[in-house]
Amino acid sequence: MSITHIVLLLLVVVLIFGTKKLRNIGSDLGGAMRDFKKGMDGGEEDEQRRRDAEKLRADNTATQENVRRDSTETHDRNP
């Protein structure tokens, strides 16, 4: 199969499907490949992301409690 055959084949495909449809197909195929790779990596990334999110949530909760406690102590000191 020569380069001429490949170009002719691509031209026919573009004429049949149109550029917009081919763009959508390429986008869908790319998304499917990305999801497949994420699935092959396993839950390691998801598990790490979940742990990081839980840690961040716990840090934010502790910070909010400290701010509340500090504001209450300041309020109690001022008559």
Side-chain angles (χ1 to χ4, degrees):
M1 200 168 188
S2 69
I3 191 74
T4 309
H5 288 106
I6 294 172
V7 170
L8 186 59
L9 180 65
L10 289 174
L11 183 63
V12 169
V13 168
V14 168
L15 288 174
I16 291 174
F17 292 109
T19 56
K20 186 175 182 181
K21 185 77 106 175
L22 287 175
R23 202 173 323 130
N24 290 341
I25 291 171
S27 173
D28 292 343
L29 184 61
M33 289 175 57
R34 195 175 318 113
D35 290 343
F36 180 75
K37 286 182 182 179
K38 282 182 184 177
M40 291 301 292
D41 288 340
E44 295 171 11
E45 282 185 20
D46 292 336
E47 185 64 31
Q48 182 64 33
R49 199 174 300 137
R50 193 173 349 193
R51 275 189 241 130
D52 290 345
E54 288 174 5
K55 183 178 178 185
L56 184 62
R57 231 178 281 125
D59 290 346
N60 286 341
T61 303
T63 303
Q64 289 173 353
E65 289 174 2
N66 289 338
V67 168
R68 276 191 225 124
R69 185 177 50 220
D70 290 344
S71 66
T72 304
E73 289 173 359
T74 305
H75 180 64
D76 290 343
R77 282 188 233 149
N78 295 331

